Amino acid sequence: MATVRFTDQPVDIGGVEIPAGELVMLSLGAANRDPRRFSDPDRLLLRRNDPGHLAFGHGIHRCLGAFLGRMEAQIALGGVISRFPQMALAVDQADLPWRNTTMLRGLESLPVTLRG
């Protein structure tokens, strides 16, 4: 959810100048949750149609497997949701176990109850 880059020239971000040659860490996860860009950014909306999400990169850094990754996710999630329409979290949302890392945000596990 983050990437590291070096500035090739001075850059002003919000009134703070970052000199040329500086290492910067860009948080793509934060960009994907910008409420000025995405409506209701904290909810997982499987049918969301907001273009410009950066999960698979952008421009020359665009992931070559983006189409396949999206198709796999749609098939896998769609199959689980169809098979278990009553699926629910097995723990309180506040008790979900998150990875302890600065580069990739994600759950360690997703405990659910399946009722089909």
Side-chain angles (χ1 to χ4, degrees), residues 48-67:
R48 184 186 302 269
N49 193 19
D50 293 328
H53 197 275
L54 298 175
F56 288 108
H58 181 72
I60 64 168
H61 298 285
R62 176 98 173 133
C63 175
L64 293 175
F67 178 78

Side-chain angles (χ1 to χ4, degrees), residues 21-35:
E22 285 294 315
L23 174 77
V24 293
M25 181 181 292
L26 308 169
S27 175
L28 301 178
N32 290 332
R33 294 178 64 168
D34 183 350

Side-chain angles (χ1 to χ4, degrees), residues 30-46:
N32 290 332
R33 294 178 64 168
D34 183 350
R36 294 172 297 179
R37 176 65 185 85
F38 298 100
S39 60
D40 207 0
D42 292 333
R43 290 188 56 210
L44 173 61
L45 301 173
L46 298 179

Side-chain angles (χ1 to χ4, degrees), residues 88-91 95-97 107 109-113:
L89 282 176
V91 299
D95 295 329
L96 290 172
L107 291 170
S109 63
L110 182 61
V112 297
T113 58

Side-chain angles (χ1 to χ4, degrees), residues 63-85:
C63 175
L64 293 175
F67 178 78
L68 179 60
R70 284 194 171 139
M71 185 173 61
E72 288 174 336
Q74 287 174 346
I75 291 168
L77 289 174
V80 169
I81 291 168
S82 294
R83 173 67 178 89
F84 301 104

